[in-house]
Amino acid sequence: MVTVHDVARAAGVSISTVSRALTDPQRVAVATRDRVTSAARELGYRPNRAASVLRAGRSGALGLVVPDLANPYFAAIAKGAQAQARERGVGLFVVDSDEDPELETEAVSGLAPQTDGIILCSPRAVERTVEALEGRPVVLVNHHVDGLPSVVADHEAGMLRTLEHLRALGHAKVAYVGGPARSWSDSRRRAGLRAAAARLGDVELVELGPHRPQVAGGHAAADLVVATRATAVVTFNDLVAAGLVERLRVRGLDVPGDLSVVGCDDAYVAELLAPPLTTLRTDLRDSGRVAVDRLVLRPGKDDGALQGDVTLPVELVVRGSTAPPRAAAPRPAPDAP
Amino acid sequence: MVTVHDVARAAGVSISTVSRALTDPQRVAVATRDRVTSAARELGYRPNRAASVLRAGRSGALGLVVPDLANPYFAAIAKGAQAQARERGVGLFVVDSDEDPELETEAVSGLAPQTDGIILCSPRAVERTVEALEGRPVVLVNHHVDGLPSVVADHEAGMLRTLEHLRALGHAKVAYVGGPARSWSDSRRRAGLRAAAARLGDVELVELGPHRPQVAGGHAAADLVVATRATAVVTFNDLVAAGLVERLRVRGLDVPGDLSVVGCDDAYVAELLAPPLTTLRTDLRDSGRVAVDRLVLRPGKDDGALQGDVTLPVELVVRGSTAPPRAAAPRPAPDAP
DNA sequence: CCGGACGATGCGAACGTTTGCCAGATCGTC
DNA sequence: GACGATCTGGCAAACGTTCGCATCGTCCGG
């Protein structure tokens, strides 16, 4: 293994100069720097991360905690974060908390000592988890706590756009199938829907849930939605929408004929469904990217534009799962087979 | 920060004893060990990973390299590996190589020095990547290289079962839509199909591809498949199948009426499609789990059952996308709208 | 021509852990 | 009662890096 000593000897300088030339180039003379860097390159020197962490206290790695890696939503965020971390030359520990608040907190306290900062995606137990950070820098994705930097999607605007769309189609009663109880996005979406309904005046809103943010959650919700006699439904995410559509098909109901369905997130499943799903899109990879940048870029030194909260736009992608309601009143649902 | 020194003082022993009591419990007397562990617990001692890596050379972390985190296939493996790593008390670096052989090799050479072992999922450039390991232990998932431990699915058996299924339905001409050129699974599946076709004798096989292992690959392949006049098609994975089905729908063709479709992997999209996809299932989380165990468990010391290659079973899940071919000869395909 | 200031580099001490080596204790046995 | 075997635990040296401080030279203004 080649160390600073080897490089120092090859370049004819002391190890301190090598260290400085490589970590803080402007602190050594240009000629020396060049000698050092070329010697390092020639010998194939690669700094020992452990030693550098031990001494300097920085690890050059970030942590990312997500509730479920198998959920395309979080997979996309992880992918974006991953790519940006590579770009910035830092490592990225990804931990899956399995939607378990307990595990989430545990993960963070394990991660905190060996990372320079942590990205917390849709945390399920923010208060306790933030405690576990022990003061380590953090960025919340899809969640907000006063005083902590966050990257969020503009759920309110998305919900307003959704309701406008459904109202324009002629829907007067819209159901919402909510996600996990502790989900911040869920609460924002509910708030957004309520505000939008109040603003539009002539759309009635029925709220359901909480439901699991997976396909199974959609299965469970479908019959409840039908029973409300709503002519359109907005779901917590695309997976729930998929499960819901599936169950409706089993019951012999048509989408969008009997029920218009709007998903959230525009996971790639959305366009695979039959009919393709109308959904709200956020650039998730971008969320991951931005989150990493906010931990890597030193405020003041680098781009100051990343200060404060970042709100990413939400776009309504209209596909085949929304249409005008059938006749004036929705057809009563037939019994399940 | 509480260090070994603090624990040593509290327990009334030297720091060496503390270290030994915690890392190699059987080397200290029971009474001492208890004193040390309870002191450690009381003080909330947490060993400094960097220091221990620096001195001992082991990092307590593994690396996982996947071509695409957003692909549910790899997401599932990552989730399994993740869970097992947590179980075993080791960290896990997840890196997404973006299907790029270059990035893959680069990722491994970045990962190698700071991990105790690396899991390589469906590598796209095995030879160069293995070189970059610099002798670090490795487990290949979904790939095989002589002399290296691997975890693979029994693609051959799966393909035989698939062809038997299609033949039993009455299909005489079956197309295969292949995946990436450098994919080992792809080559195994092709080999498996050929062997199965030869064995069955009366099924004609048409091989297509390479195609991208995503939805877009299926789009691209659909028209080619139709042109072959095959009555059934097997695709590299479920995403490709999804894209293919989508394109067929656009062209006005019916699945399974005009064409039976079999996917691979049983990603959760499979059951969301209309019709739900007949597909080959492997327990992907298990692959991840097993891979981690093979790096964590010391051979000889722990379970020796994990020596050598591990082949996971493949199960054919029959759903709605396969049916008997229409009439004797398939209906000629109508032109695209 | 001198003093002060500043820029570049070297010296050496940490960072917290693991581990080889050795000393002391304990016990059994002759 | 002494000797050897066995076991336990302490000392101190690493691991490779970073960084405070010191040193040395140079340059400029007075």
Side-chain angles (χ1 to χ4, degrees):
Chain A
M1 160 169 266
V2 35
T3 76
V4 268
H5 292 91
D6 303 319
V7 178
R9 201 172 325 118
V13 296
S14 77
I15 61 164
S16 347
T17 305
V18 173
S19 174
R20 275 192 283 260
L22 296 177
T23 61
D24 192 4
Q26 38 193 327
R27 282 182 47 98
V28 308
V30 187
T32 325
R33 183 199 315 163
D34 290 347
R35 225 156 5 111
V36 170
T37 47
S38 67
R41 191 158 356 100
E42 210 160 309
L43 296 174
Y45 169 70
R46 294 245 300 273
N48 180 322
R49 215 132 189 178
S52 137
V53 173
L54 176 58
R55 175 61 232 237
R58 316 176 230 94
S59 69
L62 301 178
L64 171 68
V65 183
V66 296
D68 180 12
L69 256 185
N71 183 329
Y73 181 82
F74 298 113
I77 294 177
K79 195 170 166 84
Q82 183 19 240
Q84 191 65 9
R86 178 174 52 222
E87 186 90 0
R88 298 291 185 189
V90 303
L92 186 73
F93 274 107
V94 181
V95 180
D96 182 323
S97 73
D98 238 347
E99 303 270 1
D100 179 346
E102 203 74 25
L103 275 181
E104 174 183 299
T105 305
E106 203 176 293
V108 166
S109 64
L111 232 35
Q114 48 186 323
T115 51
D116 294 342
I118 290 188
I119 301 170
L120 225 47
C121 263
S122 307
R124 303 298 189 220
V126 178
E127 316 79 19
R128 293 196 44 208
T129 300
V130 165
E131 251 174 55
L133 283 168
E134 295 168 9
R136 197 98 2 187
V138 69
V139 170
L140 302 177
V141 175
N142 242 307
H143 200 105
H144 179 86
V145 170
D146 278 343
L148 295 181
S150 52
V151 180
V152 296
D154 194 349
H155 296 306
E156 283 88 345
M159 286 301 151
L160 176 57
R161 220 148 296 154
T162 302
L163 232 50
E164 282 172 347
H165 168 67
L166 291 174
R167 176 168 170 265
L169 286 172
H171 294 276
K173 187 166 186 180
V174 175
Y176 172 67
V177 175
R182 328 202 50 161
S183 160
W184 180 83
S185 325
D186 186 61
S187 73
R188 295 325 302 152
R189 285 182 185 147
R190 285 177 193 271
L193 279 171
R194 277 182 218 136
R199 184 154 151 194
L200 297 180
D202 52 358
V203 175
E204 185 189 351
L205 184 65
V206 188
E207 297 185 34
L208 302 173
H211 287 283
R212 293 177 54 206
Q214 286 115 19
V215 174
H219 291 155
D223 302 318
L224 303 178
V225 171
V226 170
T228 65
R229 310 255 161 177
T231 58
V233 59
V234 181
T235 64
F236 177 71
N237 69 21
D238 292 341
L239 294 182
V240 172
L244 192 138
V245 168
E246 199 182 353
R247 173 69 187 162
L248 291 178
R249 185 170 45 233
V250 169
R251 287 196 51 182
L253 290 165
D254 179 53
V255 174
D258 295 309
L259 192 66
S260 285
V261 178
V262 180
C264 280
D265 302 346
D266 197 26
Y268 59 88
V269 292
E271 40 183 349
L272 298 181
L273 297 180
L277 202 61
T278 294
T279 187
L280 285 164
R281 171 193 297 162
T282 325
D283 189 336
L284 297 176
R285 297 204 187 164
D286 212 40
S287 315
R289 245 176 259 131
V290 171
V292 165
D293 268 351
R294 302 196 62 187
L295 287 174
V296 168
L297 301 178
R298 301 233 151 268
K301 184 174 163 196
D302 304 299
D303 197 346
L306 288 178
Q307 303 286 45
D309 282 10
V310 174
T311 302
L312 297 175
V314 169
E315 177 193 359
L316 181 68
V317 181
V318 177
R319 298 204 183 91
S321 68
T322 46
R326 192 170 274 171
R331 193 182 60 156
D335 286 348
Chain B
M1 161 169 268
V2 33
T3 75
V4 268
H5 291 93
D6 304 319
V7 178
R9 200 171 326 116
V13 296
S14 80
I15 61 163
S16 350
T17 305
V18 173
S19 174
R20 276 192 280 262
L22 296 177
T23 61
D24 191 5
Q26 38 193 326
R27 280 186 45 99
V28 308
V30 188
T32 325
R33 183 198 317 163
D34 290 348
R35 224 155 7 111
V36 170
T37 48
S38 68
R41 189 155 1 96
E42 210 160 309
L43 295 174
Y45 169 70
R46 294 245 301 272
N48 180 324
R49 214 133 192 175
S52 123
V53 173
L54 178 58
R55 175 61 232 239
R58 313 176 232 95
S59 68
L62 301 178
L64 172 68
V65 183
V66 295
D68 181 12
L69 255 184
N71 183 328
Y73 181 83
F74 298 114
I77 294 177
K79 196 171 165 84
Q82 186 15 244
Q84 191 65 8
R86 179 175 49 224
E87 186 91 359
R88 298 292 186 188
V90 303
L92 186 73
F93 274 106
V94 180
V95 180
D96 182 323
S97 73
D98 238 346
E99 304 268 3
D100 180 345
E102 203 73 25
L103 275 181
E104 174 183 300
T105 306
E106 203 175 294
V108 166
S109 65
L111 231 36
Q114 49 187 324
T115 51
D116 294 342
I118 290 188
I119 301 171
L120 225 47
C121 264
S122 306
R124 303 298 189 219
V126 175
E127 316 78 19
R128 294 196 44 208
T129 301
V130 165
E131 252 174 54
L133 283 168
E134 296 168 8
R136 198 101 359 192
V138 68
V139 170
L140 302 176
V141 175
N142 241 306
H143 204 280
H144 179 85
V145 168
D146 278 343
L148 295 180
S150 53
V151 179
V152 297
D154 194 348
H155 295 306
E156 283 89 345
M159 285 302 150
L160 176 58
R161 219 148 297 154
T162 302
L163 232 49
E164 282 172 346
H165 167 67
L166 292 174
R167 177 167 170 264
L169 287 171
H171 295 276
K173 186 165 185 180
V174 175
Y176 172 67
V177 176
R182 330 202 47 163
S183 160
W184 179 83
S185 325
D186 186 60
S187 73
R188 295 327 300 153
R189 284 180 186 150
R190 285 178 193 271
L193 279 171
R194 278 183 218 136
R199 183 156 153 194
L200 297 181
D202 53 357
V203 175
E204 186 188 349
L205 185 65
V206 188
E207 297 185 32
L208 302 172
H211 287 283
R212 294 176 53 205
Q214 285 116 19
V215 174
H219 290 155
D223 303 317
L224 302 179
V225 172
V226 170
T228 66
R229 309 254 162 177
T231 56
V233 58
V234 181
T235 64
F236 177 71
N237 68 21
D238 292 341
L239 294 181
V240 171
L244 192 138
V245 168
E246 199 181 353
R247 173 67 186 164
L248 291 178
R249 185 169 46 233
V250 169
R251 288 196 51 184
L253 290 166
D254 179 55
V255 173
D258 295 309
L259 192 66
S260 284
V261 178
V262 179
C264 280
D265 302 347
D266 196 26
Y268 59 88
V269 291
E271 41 182 348
L272 298 181
L273 298 180
L277 202 60
T278 294
T279 187
L280 285 164
R281 171 193 298 163
T282 326
D283 189 337
L284 297 174
R285 297 203 187 163
D286 212 40
S287 314
R289 246 176 258 131
V290 170
V292 166
D293 268 351
R294 300 196 63 186
L295 287 173
V296 168
L297 300 179
R298 302 232 151 269
K301 186 175 163 196
D302 303 299
D303 197 346
L306 288 178
Q307 303 286 44
D309 282 10
V310 174
T311 302
L312 298 175
V314 168
E315 177 193 0
L316 181 69
V317 181
V318 177
R319 299 203 183 91
S321 69
T322 46
R326 194 169 273 170
R331 194 183 61 158
D335 287 347

